[in-house]
């Protein structure tokens, strides 16, 4: 299908979805029942379809919470397919996890097309860094010393590149190192487009052509915001940006969009980001006098005076300035891992501002010399690949200069959060030199993201549907709506509703809280938690997901449990020991396993059946007070006379708590226990908001030993 035949909106009289027809597909007697052996009509799903159809038909913004088991994927896919097919308009579906993207592309959309009988084209799109760049790979082949890579890995990549039809990293039979993949993957600002000799073979161009002919695009939130940023920067909404043009958008896993947008619109700098650009310009082989880099290529093309020696000197000065910046940063951080610039501590950062300005000055001098070299190159050679790449590097270095100079203006840029942090360098864990095990990261993040989301999404889009199992907190939808900018939407366009899970939580789930556990601020809390976890997983014979709010607590507890479960047959799995996918597969297949996890494992874990019969939440998931963006947002609320704990901390924690609880019951026949090892949920006044936020279920508030007995009786 020609792109222009469906991406331009039919403003005269767009086809409106027949709500009854849309609902009939998933009702008794409909086409889904004929395809599914175990079909059950779901009233909540039918009502959700009606709401989404009305959102499309009336150019609205829909905010719909749909509990586990409602069937929200089909509820938004059916209206999306009907709208795209009849109106020849593109619909974009944005999700938070790769698992859901794959499920949509491989299973749900093909079924939805069958049940509607509307043959639409669809494609799963990934960021271009997921695809190999043939030009950059050729550079590696020409100069294999560009990065120090494993020879076997490198050879395997070259062999794969000759046969792959997709160029997609996920199609590799092995996981290449991040350093190697970053050196050969596609990058937007380094793309030569039509000037590239590999343009006709380019995997990214191939995917873009497929996307131009697709009526349904599946993307992740990061890629969606990359597209929105480009459109806000001037491309507009009628032309292709990162994605082809669209006016209809579905957000699944919409509870994550504030965090996703905050992450995307943040800027950062590390020494690795800077050194990568410098090595492209000039590098000296380790233990050798051999030198190479783009600097020498463009100097050979230049008709001006040879200034390579001066440029090399400048590059070395930049490296020194970066080292001095890191030393200054580590001295400021001392034993802290993160520090935000604020009125109370700004005096501590004076040396940091000077070091950043020195780095910017060194970079600026180097860029000036390189621009002089390029200015003396004949016009016919200015479009050559080496010159193009040098210009790309100069743009990146210019951005780093601007970034560095912004730190000193932190007070003027009150809509930003400026902070520094110390990170562990996992690639150098075996190195005896401690200084090589850590590096510094400099970050500028947006203080609030709601106005940008509104300007980039809710205002220009014709219809937007936001759905998730967890959008409500203690004050209903208000928290999510205010944080994401949906509060700016005209109330006549806004559709809000909640659809409860059909699962029998009152019969199949037990919520338990030990009454004899110390409060989290007591010295004996951690020891009690570790002993409690041990007793609980022995009572359930494994089959447990243990969720933490800090990696340090996770590591301590997993070491303790691993030691005390030797010989029991219980397999202890720990986040960080393997990649997420393999950990989850092992957890699913090994019924006696226990998975210790934090962060992302609070959501997106779908393990139906007996393998996950118990979820242990070690602590209510309040954000860490020292988190710089969170702290800045709390400070902002205080300045306007608000109460950050009530307005931010509690609702944010409730949404994450609901995500954690939601890992347990994934099918109507699942049974299990959620144990909360934090008695604030029953002793503090705000605890009632956590308890009332989850489905009605059996509850036990007893000493730990009694709870362990209840676990055994409930499961066995």
């Amino acid at each position: 299908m020609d792109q222009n035949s469906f991406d331009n909106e039919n403003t005269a009289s767009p086809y409106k979805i027949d709500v009854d027809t849309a609902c009939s597909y998933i009702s008794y007697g409909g086409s889904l029942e004929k395809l599914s052996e175990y079909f059950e009509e779901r009233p909540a799903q039918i009502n959700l379809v009606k709401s989404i159809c009305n959102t499309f038909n009336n150019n609205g913004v829909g905010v719909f919470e749909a509990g586990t088991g409602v069937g929200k994927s089909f509820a938004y896919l059916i209206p999306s397919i009907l709208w795209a097919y009849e109106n020849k308009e593109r619909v974009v579906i944005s999700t938070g996890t790769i698992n859901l993207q794959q499920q949509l592309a491989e299973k749900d959309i093909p079924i939805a097309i069958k049940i509607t009988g509307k043959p639409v084209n669809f494609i799963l799109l990934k960021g271009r860094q997921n695809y190999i760049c043939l030009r950059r790979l050729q550079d590696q082949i020409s100069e294999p010393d560009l990065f120090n890579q494993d020879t076997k890995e490198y050879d395997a990549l070259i062999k794969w590149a000759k046969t792959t039809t997709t160029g997609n990293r996920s199609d590799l039979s092995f996981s290449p190192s991040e350093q190697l993949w970053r050196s050969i993957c596609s990058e937007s600002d380094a793309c030569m487009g039509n000037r590239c000799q590999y343009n006709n073979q380019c995997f990214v161009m191939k995917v873009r052509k497929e996307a131009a002919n697709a009526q349904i695009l599946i993307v992740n939130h990061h890629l969606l915001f990359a597209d929105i940023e480009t459109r806000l920067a001037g491309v507009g909404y009628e032309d292709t940006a990162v994605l082809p043009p669209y006016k209809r958008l579905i957000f699944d896993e919409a509870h994550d969009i504030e965090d996703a947008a905050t992450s995307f619109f943040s800027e950062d700098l590390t020494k690795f980001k800077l050194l990568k650009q410098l090595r492209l310009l000039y590098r000296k082989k380790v233990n050798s006098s051999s030198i190479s880099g783009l600097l020498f290529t463009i100097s050979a093309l230049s008709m001006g005076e040879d200034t390579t020696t001066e440029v090399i000197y400048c590059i070395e000065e930049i490296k020194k300035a970066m080292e001095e910046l890191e030393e200054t940063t580590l001295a400021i951080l001392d034993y802290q891992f993160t520090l935000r610039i604020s009125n109370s501590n700004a005096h501590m950062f004076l040396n940091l501002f000077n070091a950043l300005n020195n780095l910017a000055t060194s970079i600026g001098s180097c860029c000036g010399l390189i621009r002089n070299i390029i200015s003396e190159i004949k016009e016919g050679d200015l479009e050559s690949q080496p010159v193009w790449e040098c210009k790309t590097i100069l743009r990146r270095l210019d951005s780093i200069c601007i970034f560095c100079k912004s730190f000193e203006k932190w007070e003027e840029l009150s809509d930003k959060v400026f902070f520094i942090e110390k990170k562990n360098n996992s690639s150098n864990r075996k190195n005896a030199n401690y200084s090589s095990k850590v590096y510094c990261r400099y970050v500028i993040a947006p203080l609030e993201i709601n106005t940008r989301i509104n300007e980039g999404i809710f205002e220009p889009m014709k219809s937007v549907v936001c759905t998730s199992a967890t959008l409500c907190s203690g004050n209903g939808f208000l928290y999510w709506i205010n944080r994401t900018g949906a509060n700016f939407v005209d109330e006549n366009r806004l559709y809000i509703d909640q659809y409860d899970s059909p699962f029998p939580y009152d019969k199949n789930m037990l919520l338990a809280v030990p009454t004899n556990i110390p409060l989290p601020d007591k010295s004996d809390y951690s020891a009690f938690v570790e002993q409690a976890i041990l007793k609980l997983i022995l009572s359930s014979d494994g089959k447990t997901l243990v969720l933490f709010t800090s990696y340090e607590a996770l590591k301590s507890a997993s070491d303790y449990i691993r030691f005390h479960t030797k010989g029991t047959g219980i397999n202890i799995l720990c986040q960080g020991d393997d990649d997420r996918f393999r950990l989850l597969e092992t957890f699913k297949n090994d019924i006696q396993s226990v998975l210790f996890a934090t962060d992302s494992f609070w959501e997106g874990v779908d393990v139906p059946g007996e393998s996950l019969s118990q979820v242990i939440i070690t602590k209510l998931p309040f954000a860490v007070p020292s988190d710089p963006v969170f702290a800045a947002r709390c400070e902002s609320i205080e300045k306007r006379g608000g109460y950050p704990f009530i307005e931010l901390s509690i609702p944010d924690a409730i949404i994450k708590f609901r995500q954690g609880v939601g890992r347990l019951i994934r099918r109507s026949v699942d049974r299990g226990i959620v144990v909360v090892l934090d008695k604030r949920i029953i002793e503090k006044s705000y605890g009632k908001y956590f308890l009332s936020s989850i489905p009605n279920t059996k509850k036990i508030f007893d000493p730990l030993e009694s709870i362990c007995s209840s676990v055994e009786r409930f499961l066995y």
Side-chain angles (χ1 to χ4, degrees):
M1 184 179 288
D2 180 73
Q3 177 186 351
N4 292 325
S5 64
F6 63 82
D7 67 12
N8 292 323
E9 182 193 1
N10 182 358
T11 54
S13 55
Y15 161 85
K16 290 197 172 185
I17 303 168
D18 185 285
V19 178
D20 291 337
T21 300
C23 292
S24 70
Y25 295 124
I26 54 172
S27 302
Y28 284 124
S31 47
L32 181 58
E33 183 180 16
K34 296 170 185 175
L35 285 173
S36 175
E37 183 180 352
Y38 303 103
F39 174 82
E40 288 183 10
E41 186 178 276
R42 307 179 193 182
Q45 185 183 42
I46 292 171
N47 288 330
L48 180 56
V49 168
K50 291 177 182 177
S51 294
I52 293 174
C53 287
N54 288 330
T55 303
F56 271 92
N57 287 341
N58 298 311
N59 292 336
V61 173
V63 180
F64 306 121
E65 178 175 288
T68 307
V70 167
K72 57 184 170 63
S73 295
F74 281 154
Y76 63 68
L77 285 176
I78 289 169
S80 297
I81 288 170
L82 294 175
W83 187 275
Y85 182 82
E86 298 294 347
N87 287 303
K88 296 179 172 53
E89 256 196 311
R90 188 175 287 112
V91 178
V92 172
I93 300 170
S94 181
T95 79
T97 61
I98 187 64
N99 288 343
L100 180 53
Q101 292 163 45
Q102 290 174 334
Q103 178 185 313
L104 289 170
E106 296 167 12
K107 180 183 176 185
D108 293 347
I109 293 180
I111 292 174
I113 289 172
K114 279 185 181 180
I115 66 177
T116 58
K118 308 298 183 186
V120 298
N121 297 327
F122 66 93
I123 186 172
L124 193 166
L125 281 176
K126 298 179 181 179
R128 65 188 303 150
Q129 71 277 4
N130 288 283
Y131 299 92
I132 195 168
C133 173
L134 295 174
R135 176 181 63 76
R136 298 186 76 202
L137 177 64
Q138 187 56 46
D139 289 344
Q140 281 280 304
I141 294 170
S142 303
E143 287 192 80
D145 69 315
L146 185 55
F147 290 97
N148 298 319
Q149 64 263 322
D150 181 272
T151 305
K152 289 183 180 178
E153 202 175 72
Y154 178 59
D155 292 341
L157 267 171
I158 295 173
K159 185 178 180 181
W160 171 76
K162 292 177 181 177
T163 58
T164 179
T165 57
T166 66
N168 193 327
R169 182 180 183 176
S170 63
D171 293 340
L172 278 164
S173 59
F174 63 97
S175 297
S177 69
E178 282 300 315
Q179 184 185 28
L180 176 54
W181 183 257
R182 284 198 301 266
S183 70
I184 59 172
C185 70
S186 179
E187 294 180 329
S188 58
D189 62 350
C191 180
M192 296 183 68
N194 293 331
R195 299 178 183 85
C196 180
Q197 60 180 312
Y198 297 99
N199 186 60
N200 293 331
Q201 304 158 256
C202 178
F203 297 111
V204 171
M205 292 299 112
K206 178 184 176 184
V207 169
R208 282 194 166 187
K209 288 174 185 175
E210 291 175 2
N213 290 316
Q215 292 145 287
I216 305 287
L217 303 184
I218 311 162
V219 302
N220 63 25
H221 296 338
H222 186 90
L223 186 60
L224 187 279
F225 284 119
D227 179 76
I228 296 300
E229 180 188 46
T230 306
R231 297 186 185 283
L232 286 172
V235 170
Y237 288 79
E238 306 304 321
D239 298 315
T240 294
V242 175
L243 304 176
Y246 56 96
K247 286 294 181 70
R248 312 282 169 177
L249 174 62
I250 307 284
F251 272 121
D252 199 344
E253 300 176 314
H255 62 278
D256 269 343
I257 64 175
E258 183 192 12
D259 287 343
T262 299
S263 174
F264 179 80
F265 289 108
S266 296
E267 303 171 75
D268 74 335
L269 172 64
T270 66
K271 65 180 178 184
F272 305 113
K273 183 178 284 190
L274 175 59
L275 294 177
K276 177 184 175 182
Q277 304 310 313
L278 300 182
R279 282 181 59 78
L280 290 170
L281 288 170
Y282 163 76
R283 55 196 170 274
K284 184 176 180 181
K285 198 167 184 179
V286 180
N287 300 323
S288 169
S289 59
S290 173
I291 55 176
S292 56
L294 291 167
L295 170 62
F296 301 104
T297 309
I298 63 168
S299 292
L301 293 172
S302 180
M303 305 302 291
E305 181 184 352
D306 183 5
T307 56
T308 53
T309 302
E310 290 90 331
V311 175
I312 292 170
Y313 175 79
C314 277
I315 288 173
E316 295 303 324
E317 288 298 300
I318 294 172
K319 291 177 182 178
K320 287 179 186 176
M322 188 70 224
E323 287 176 13
E324 289 170 4
L325 173 61
E326 286 222 315
E327 289 173 7
T328 301
T329 308
L330 290 172
I332 294 170
L333 286 168
D334 198 12
Y335 292 105
Q336 300 176 88
F337 276 84
T338 305
L339 194 61
R340 174 175 65 98
I341 306 175
S342 64
N343 288 321
S344 62
N345 65 14
H347 62 280
M348 296 170 52
F349 289 87
L350 296 178
N351 289 338
L352 178 82
F353 299 150
N354 289 334
L356 282 164
N357 284 332
N358 289 341
L359 177 60
T361 300
S362 298
I363 293 172
S365 298
C366 185
C367 289
L369 288 171
I370 294 171
R371 284 193 169 90
N372 287 338
I373 294 172
I374 292 174
S375 69
E376 297 295 331
I377 294 176
K378 290 180 180 178
E379 190 173 342
D381 291 325
L382 286 175
E383 295 300 315
S384 65
Q385 180 176 314
V387 177
W388 177 272
E389 289 183 12
C390 272
K391 288 180 178 179
T392 299
I393 294 166
L394 288 173
R395 285 196 298 273
R396 291 173 178 171
L397 292 175
D398 286 341
S399 295
I400 291 174
C401 279
I402 294 169
F403 178 91
C404 291
K405 291 176 180 178
S406 295
F407 262 73
E408 199 170 31
K409 302 173 184 175
W410 70 273
E411 262 187 304
E412 300 169 33
L413 303 171
S414 57
D415 60 338
K416 307 284 187 185
V417 183
F418 293 77
F419 64 95
I420 56 176
E421 60 182 357
K422 182 166 51 180
K423 306 284 285 185
N424 288 318
N425 185 5
S426 57
S427 63
N428 282 326
R429 280 178 182 165
K430 296 179 181 178
N431 194 312
N433 181 6
Y434 176 77
S435 65
S436 66
K437 290 187 179 182
V438 297
Y439 64 94
C440 298
R441 182 170 175 253
Y442 308 84
V443 186
I444 305 175
L447 177 61
E448 303 292 350
I449 205 71
N450 52 1
T451 54
R452 190 172 295 193
I453 294 176
N454 179 55
E455 291 167 4
I457 293 172
F458 295 132
E459 279 187 6
M461 295 294 154
K462 287 296 183 182
S463 57
V464 182
V465 172
C466 304
T467 185
S468 167
T470 56
L471 294 180
C472 292
S473 52
N475 54 3
F477 289 92
L478 189 61
Y479 171 75
W480 184 89
I481 285 172
N482 288 339
R483 300 303 306 173
T484 58
N487 59 312
F488 297 116
V489 175
D490 188 304
E491 61 180 14
N492 295 322
R493 285 189 70 208
L494 199 57
Y495 297 80
I496 302 174
D497 217 332
Q498 188 174 8
Y499 304 90
D500 294 334
S501 170
F503 292 164
Y505 286 91
D506 57 337
K507 297 176 182 177
N508 289 5
M509 186 175 116
L510 179 68
L511 178 75
V513 183
T515 54
N516 59 329
I517 189 170
L519 287 168
D521 60 353
K522 300 300 181 183
S523 59
D524 52 347
Y525 170 75
S526 296
F528 189 101
V529 165
E530 292 176 359
Q531 293 165 22
I533 294 170
L534 176 62
K535 292 175 181 178
L536 288 164
I537 65 175
L538 290 173
S539 298
S540 63
D541 197 23
K543 309 170 188 172
T544 302
L545 172 65
V546 191
L547 294 172
F548 292 82
T549 57
S550 81
Y551 186 76
E552 290 75 18
L554 179 155
K555 191 70 175 68
S556 175
S558 62
D559 289 345
Y560 176 86
I561 304 300
R562 187 174 277 125
F563 178 80
H564 286 88
T565 52
K566 288 179 181 176
T568 64
I570 294 175
N571 183 19
I572 304 301
L573 307 171
C574 186
Q575 180 180 345
D577 289 348
D578 204 342
D579 75 39
R580 178 190 170 98
F581 177 78
R582 282 193 289 267
L583 277 175
L584 284 174
E585 285 302 299
T586 303
F587 183 54
K588 286 178 185 179
N589 297 324
D590 185 348
I591 202 167
Q592 275 193 294
S593 63
V594 176
L595 177 56
F596 287 72
T598 184
D599 298 332
S600 61
F601 283 80
W602 281 75
E603 58 185 85
V605 173
D606 189 9
V607 183
E610 193 179 359
S611 291
L612 178 43
S613 298
Q614 180 172 232
V615 172
I616 299 175
I617 294 176
T618 56
K619 191 183 288 187
L620 294 179
F622 288 107
V624 180
S626 60
D627 176 84
V629 176
F630 179 80
R633 287 172 175 170
C634 286
E635 192 177 280
S636 177
I637 292 171
E638 285 179 343
K639 283 180 179 177
R640 63 167 171 75
Y643 300 93
F645 187 69
I646 295 171
E647 296 179 37
L648 188 60
S649 299
I650 291 176
D652 178 73
I654 286 173
I655 288 177
K656 190 167 184 179
F657 174 73
R658 296 182 68 204
Q659 281 288 326
V661 172
R663 296 316 96 213
L664 183 67
I665 305 293
R666 307 304 299 173
R667 299 182 305 192
S668 60
V669 295
D670 285 351
R671 282 172 57 82
I673 302 98
V674 173
V675 183
V676 182
L677 299 179
D678 188 341
K679 68 178 180 180
R680 289 179 296 178
I681 198 170
I682 56 175
E683 290 194 353
K684 299 294 185 180
S685 59
Y686 56 77
K688 61 188 176 185
Y689 298 116
F690 286 86
L691 292 173
S692 64
S693 73
I694 60 175
N696 186 35
T697 183
K698 297 177 183 179
K699 297 179 179 67
I700 296 179
F701 307 143
D702 283 331
L704 178 63
E705 295 300 331
S706 177
I707 286 175
C708 289
S709 299
S710 298
V711 167
E712 291 184 27
R713 288 195 301 271
F714 193 80
L715 292 180
Y716 302 107

